Amino acid sequence: SDVYKRQVSTQSTWGQFKVSTIDVFKVDSSSCHPWVMPLEYTLKRYSLLYLKFGIDAQTRSDLRGLVHSIPSGIHAAGVVTSCIFDYMYNLKGLEPASDAYLNRRSEIHTRCAERILALSVRNRGIYLKLGQYLGNLNGIMPREYTEVLKVLQDSGPSIPFDEAKVVIEHDLGRPVNELFASIDEKAIAAATLAQVHAAYLHTGEKIAVKIQFPFLRTQTPSDLAVIRYLTTVCTRLLEWRDFKDFDLLKLFTTFRASLVDELDFTLEVQNSELTRELFKNDERIYIPVSYTHLRAHETGRNLVCRLLLEKKK
């Protein structure tokens, strides 16, 4: 989608950071540190050795999530480090209230925001969600950050149906053709954590099937651990530089709590049913029905949400 293309090209004292007209959901190796991509390739290559020995599809997705989280964490640490040095080095010797300081700081804000944008796009998953979260913090984050990161707000990348099908069959315990009369293999919508497919039940109803990405089950805890550690480091540095009022750890705690709720699709169903009950006598409002018999097993994820697209005859 054209909305996800953005020209990003910056130059800093700490090395060139360049991503030319990036497609937001394709990894550009030029934006990575030179030792990250070989490490990621090596990890994925050797992981294939034990992905072929009778391991089910969901377990393979779990392993891929763990494998991906290692280079993602390393790349995140590199981006945070480059941002820290950018602020420390390029603001050194400038009077905090001077025009030169404010102009230089604005330039650094933009550079660091573009680094976070590229990081969010490359790592996807939780990092992409974090980029969206930061882009929504108007009045808290500097204006340059929200301006750059707002490009992430519209939608997200979809995954192939073969990967999405793994979640359906694992969590519902039956093959797709037994669960649905038909299902559209092309997602009708996608976000940072899930995507939606249109399907027909054997009884004729048209429904929307919301599927959480399979790799998030193992990748989320490790990614959150890395982000928390990096946030702690940044908070300590801010305290050292006498910016005690800007508590990044508090922002992280809020983000993590929001993320945990968003990953639990049972809450979405409960809110939908509550809303439907509240507006049941208002004919102007239609709230789709949730199919409780198509809910996931008690896996802690509840990856498939069932909502009617067409109920009225």
Side-chain angles (χ1 to χ4, degrees), residues 157-204:
S158 61
I159 61 174
F161 181 71
D162 285 345
E163 295 181 30
K165 185 172 69 172
V166 168
V167 180
I168 299 175
E169 296 184 340
H170 177 270
D171 279 29
L172 298 182
R174 286 185 287 167
V176 168
N177 60 354
E178 291 184 12
L179 294 164
F180 313 110
S182 65
I183 184 168
D184 191 347
E185 295 190 1
K186 183 178 180 181
I188 59 176
T192 54
L193 305 176
Q195 65 190 44
V196 179
H197 291 261
Y200 282 93
L201 296 177
H202 291 289
T203 50

Side-chain angles (χ1 to χ4, degrees), residues 87-300:
Y87 280 105
M88 292 179 66
Y89 181 86
N90 289 311
L91 291 177
K92 187 177 180 180
L94 296 177
E95 187 66 30
S98 65
D99 290 339
Y101 177 91
L102 296 176
N103 291 335
R104 181 73 60 81
R105 188 182 65 178
S106 178
E107 294 171 1
I108 298 172
H109 283 340
T110 300
R111 282 200 297 269
C112 291
E114 288 171 344
R115 290 173 183 142
I116 293 173
L117 171 63
L119 173 69
S120 301
V121 169
R122 180 196 176 278
N123 286 358
R124 297 177 57 171
I126 305 307
Y127 290 92
L128 190 57
K129 195 67 184 177
L130 179 62
Q132 289 183 340
Y133 176 74
L134 294 176
N136 275 326
L137 295 179
N138 294 298
I140 298 177
M141 294 295 293
R143 176 184 54 81
E144 293 84 355
Y145 280 84
T146 56
E147 284 294 315
V148 171
L149 295 175
K150 69 181 180 181
V151 71
L152 299 174
Q153 300 304 322
D154 293 328
S155 60
S158 61
I159 61 174
F161 181 71
D162 285 345
E163 295 181 30
K165 185 172 69 172
V166 168
V167 180
I168 299 175
E169 296 184 340
H170 177 270
D171 279 29
L172 298 182
R174 286 185 287 167
V176 168
N177 60 354
E178 291 184 12
L179 294 164
F180 313 110
S182 65
I183 184 168
D184 191 347
E185 295 190 1
K186 183 178 180 181
I188 59 176
T192 54
L193 305 176
Q195 65 190 44
V196 179
H197 291 261
Y200 282 93
L201 296 177
H202 291 289
T203 50
E205 296 97 332
K206 186 178 182 181
I207 66 169
V209 183
K210 185 175 180 181
I211 307 166
Q212 194 174 116
F213 297 144
F215 53 82
L216 291 177
R217 187 166 73 165
T218 53
Q219 193 173 325
T220 297
S222 55
D223 284 351
L224 284 176
V226 170
I227 294 171
R228 188 186 191 287
Y229 174 77
L230 295 175
T231 304
T232 301
V233 171
C234 292
T235 299
R236 297 294 177 263
L237 287 172
L238 286 171
E239 291 175 352
W240 177 57
R241 300 290 293 183
D242 294 327
F243 291 101
K244 296 182 175 62
D245 294 334
F246 198 66
D247 190 350
L248 291 177
L249 277 176
K250 186 175 181 180
L251 291 180
F252 169 77
T253 301
T254 304
F255 166 72
R256 181 176 58 187
S258 174
L259 177 67
V260 169
D261 287 346
E262 190 169 348
L263 287 170
D264 186 355
F265 286 179
T266 59
L267 296 178
E268 180 176 330
V269 174
Q270 291 169 10
N271 290 333
S272 175
E273 291 302 306
L274 176 60
T275 304
R276 203 154 66 89
E277 179 64 23
L278 291 173
F279 291 96
K280 63 182 179 181
N281 296 322
D282 193 332
E283 296 182 355
R284 299 170 301 171
I285 300 175
Y286 170 63
I287 309 296
V289 175
S290 298
Y291 280 84
T292 55
H293 73 285
L294 287 177
R295 288 179 58 174
H297 301 314
E298 297 300 325
T299 60

Side-chain angles (χ1 to χ4, degrees), residues 24-144:
V24 167
F25 298 115
K26 290 183 180 178
V27 175
D28 181 0
S29 59
S30 66
S31 70
C32 304
H33 293 284
W35 37 268
V36 171
M37 292 303 288
L39 173 62
E40 183 172 15
Y41 172 78
T42 301
L43 287 169
K44 288 184 176 180
R45 183 175 182 181
Y46 280 100
S47 68
L48 293 176
L49 294 176
Y50 54 84
L51 292 181
K52 296 180 179 179
F53 295 101
I55 300 176
D56 64 84
Q58 180 58 61
T59 303
R60 289 198 295 270
S61 294
D62 292 343
L63 292 172
R64 289 192 189 101
L66 286 174
V67 168
H68 180 74
S69 66
I70 298 173
S72 293
I74 294 173
H75 187 64
V79 168
V80 170
T81 300
S82 64
C83 290
I84 290 172
F85 278 110
D86 202 351
Y87 280 105
M88 292 179 66
Y89 181 86
N90 289 311
L91 291 177
K92 187 177 180 180
L94 296 177
E95 187 66 30
S98 65
D99 290 339
Y101 177 91
L102 296 176
N103 291 335
R104 181 73 60 81
R105 188 182 65 178
S106 178
E107 294 171 1
I108 298 172
H109 283 340
T110 300
R111 282 200 297 269
C112 291
E114 288 171 344
R115 290 173 183 142
I116 293 173
L117 171 63
L119 173 69
S120 301
V121 169
R122 180 196 176 278
N123 286 358
R124 297 177 57 171
I126 305 307
Y127 290 92
L128 190 57
K129 195 67 184 177
L130 179 62
Q132 289 183 340
Y133 176 74
L134 294 176
N136 275 326
L137 295 179
N138 294 298
I140 298 177
M141 294 295 293
R143 176 184 54 81
E144 293 84 355

